[in-house]
Amino acid sequence: MRLRVWPADRLRSVDPRLADAALALGLTGAAAVAGRQYHPAGWPPFDATAYALTALVGLPLAARRRAPVFALVASCLGFACYLAAGYQPSLNFWGPAVALYGVAARRPPRTAAACAALCAAVVFYSGLTAPEIGLTVTVVQALGVPAVVWTFGSGARTLDERNRQLAELTARLHREQEWRERQAVSEEQRRIARELHDVVAHHMSVINVQAGMAGYVFPSAPEKARAALGTISETSREALRELRRILTLLRSAADGEDAEGGGAPYAPIPGLAGLRDVAERVRAAGVAVDLRTDGAPRPLPPGVELCAYRVVQEALTNVIKHARHAAVTVLVSYRPHELFVTITDDGREGGYGRPDPANVVPGPGHGLIGMRERARLYGGTVDAGPRTEGGFRVRLTLPVAAGPPPSARPAPGPQNRPSA
């Protein structure tokens, strides 16, 4: 057996104006029927005038939402005229009470208090027209009925205000959530753009230089051309490995997988130990790179090492693009609470290895922007600009945790000497 359930939403979907009109007609009809059927001795008969005055009491309730004060005043005046004509109160007593509820639910307390006083006066007058009720009951009725109606109406107004505030708060939270989602998407897009830029720009710059050199020396120095092709092959494999690592991270994040949960294992994240390979590739492109270390090397957070690695990689890529024959010094300085990485070149240009303008993408570069964004993620800074004595310098500063105590550190080796 199926039970039909009428949801409350179906009632809420009814037009409030139709509901008020139905209430006004229903109360007017009930009062007319009760006045016609219930006729105690001593009261005048319920005639056409009584019907008209009953309509003046009940029908204004149709406007109790749109004009609650008007509905109350009209209903009270109609009830007062009805009582002054000598008719029994009957159900017309409820007209002013229902109108007062509408005022208390939709108007400020000061307006509701004045309307409650008017309603109390009319109710008190209705008690005086029926001496058999007694003065005490009349007073209690005149004070109690408006007070109870006002209390319920004021509670409804407070609840409506809270619901409106909650709706506004919900809408605000929804807007903030959408904004945070857009920010997260934008940040992820920037992060992916930085990774792709660093990988593609560096490796493709090396490949471009080596390809140009191989084509230039192929007729006269086949061995050098063959070495250049070997560098191209190795560099392209390294680029593919890094691109595969990035794609694996993106695919695993999209599928909700991780390396321990059955997803594809991640390739190692590049770090400071990989600077030797970067230096070798750049040297093969014709740039003299001197890689130095100052201070005792120690393990650093993977994100910090990746940031330093990418900044060095991008700085060397810029040297390949803009100062092919420059001599570059990369100095990695370990300090107790900071890591300094300085890339300096002497600014010499020229040579056969210049990139072909047809292979250079027009428009402003994003290298320095990406460097600063990376450093900012880890609380660091990047200072880049030309040197007074010539050339260019990029300096990265990253805050790091203090290293292990001296007893736990490896024996220090010669400082300020090339490590690669």
Side-chain angles (χ1 to χ4, degrees):
M1 178 179 179
R2 295 185 59 185
L3 297 178
R4 298 185 65 184
V5 179
W6 297 91
D9 292 341
R10 187 169 299 180
L11 296 178
R12 297 192 190 99
S13 63
V14 177
D15 190 342
R17 294 173 296 181
L18 295 179
D20 290 341
L23 174 63
L25 292 175
L27 185 59
T28 301
V33 171
R36 185 69 177 177
Q37 297 296 329
Y38 180 70
H39 184 250
W43 294 93
F46 203 86
D47 52 15
T49 303
Y51 280 112
L53 293 175
T54 297
L56 291 178
V57 176
L59 293 182
L61 297 180
R64 71 185 190 94
R65 295 178 191 266
R66 292 170 293 172
V69 176
F70 165 78
L72 174 72
V73 173
S75 182
C76 288
L77 290 178
F79 190 37
C81 293
Y82 177 87
L83 295 173
Y87 297 106
Q88 59 178 342
S90 183
L91 294 181
N92 285 326
F93 172 87
W94 292 105
V98 174
L100 177 61
Y101 178 87
V103 174
R106 293 171 180 82
R107 292 294 181 265
R110 181 177 300 181
T111 303
C115 291
L118 177 61
C119 180
V122 174
V123 172
F124 182 74
Y125 179 43
S126 69
L128 295 180
T129 60
E132 66 274 9
I133 297 179
L135 182 60
T136 302
V137 175
T138 300
V139 172
V140 172
Q141 180 177 265
L143 296 178
V145 171
V148 171
V149 173
W150 188 10
T151 300
F152 280 97
S154 178
R157 181 174 61 85
T158 303
L159 180 62
D160 184 66
E161 290 178 355
R162 290 179 179 176
N163 290 337
R164 185 166 55 252
Q165 293 173 356
L166 287 175
E168 293 176 355
L169 179 59
T170 301
R172 188 182 306 115
L173 290 176
H174 183 67
R175 290 193 298 270
E176 290 180 359
Q177 182 180 5
E178 290 182 343
W179 179 81
R180 292 180 185 276
E181 290 176 353
R182 289 194 298 270
Q183 288 294 107
V185 171
S186 298
E187 180 60 30
E188 186 65 14
Q189 289 175 342
R190 287 193 294 269
R191 185 180 72 86
I192 295 172
R194 284 195 301 268
E195 290 292 332
L196 291 177
H197 174 271
D198 292 342
V199 171
V200 174
H202 172 75
H203 293 88
M204 293 306 296
S205 295
V206 174
I207 291 173
N208 182 41
V209 170
Q210 294 296 321
M213 185 183 70
Y216 183 82
V217 303
F218 185 79
S220 58
E223 292 300 326
K224 289 186 178 180
R226 189 176 295 108
L229 293 176
T231 302
I232 291 174
S233 177
E234 182 180 351
T235 303
S236 61
R237 283 197 300 269
E238 177 65 22
L240 288 175
R241 280 196 296 268
E242 292 214 29
L243 287 174
R244 190 177 295 113
R245 180 183 64 84
I246 295 174
L247 294 177
T248 300
L249 287 172
L250 294 176
R251 187 180 298 112
S252 299
D255 297 339
E257 300 175 352
D258 54 24
E260 298 179 358
Y266 296 158
I269 297 177
L272 293 176
L275 292 181
R276 296 176 182 271
D277 296 332
V278 176
E280 289 297 332
R281 287 196 298 269
V282 175
R283 290 190 190 107
V287 178
V289 179
D290 185 13
L291 182 60
R292 296 174 178 267
T293 301
D294 181 24
R298 65 180 186 273
L300 298 176
V304 173
E305 292 211 12
L306 177 62
C307 177
Y309 176 90
R310 292 302 190 198
V311 168
V312 174
Q313 185 183 59
E314 177 61 26
L316 293 178
T317 301
N318 289 337
V319 173
I320 294 175
K321 292 179 179 179
H322 306 293
R324 181 66 48 73
H325 282 187
V328 184
T329 300
V330 178
L331 176 61
V332 180
S333 301
Y334 292 88
R335 295 293 180 264
H337 298 282
E338 289 179 311
L339 175 70
F340 298 99
V341 180
T342 306
I343 306 96
T344 308
D345 70 80
D346 57 12
R348 286 180 294 171
E349 301 180 0
Y352 62 83
R354 282 183 176 274
D356 185 352
N359 296 330
V360 177
V361 179
H366 301 281
L368 292 177
I369 296 175
M371 291 182 191
R372 293 191 173 97
E373 287 180 349
R374 283 187 180 278
R376 193 160 49 243
L377 287 176
Y378 297 96
T381 58
V382 169
D383 179 22
R387 301 190 304 162
T388 56
E389 62 271 26
F392 202 83
R393 184 184 69 178
V394 176
R395 183 176 177 84
L396 168 67
T397 304
L398 289 174
V400 295
S407 60
R409 295 178 182 173
Q415 300 300 312
N416 296 327
R417 62 181 179 84
S419 61

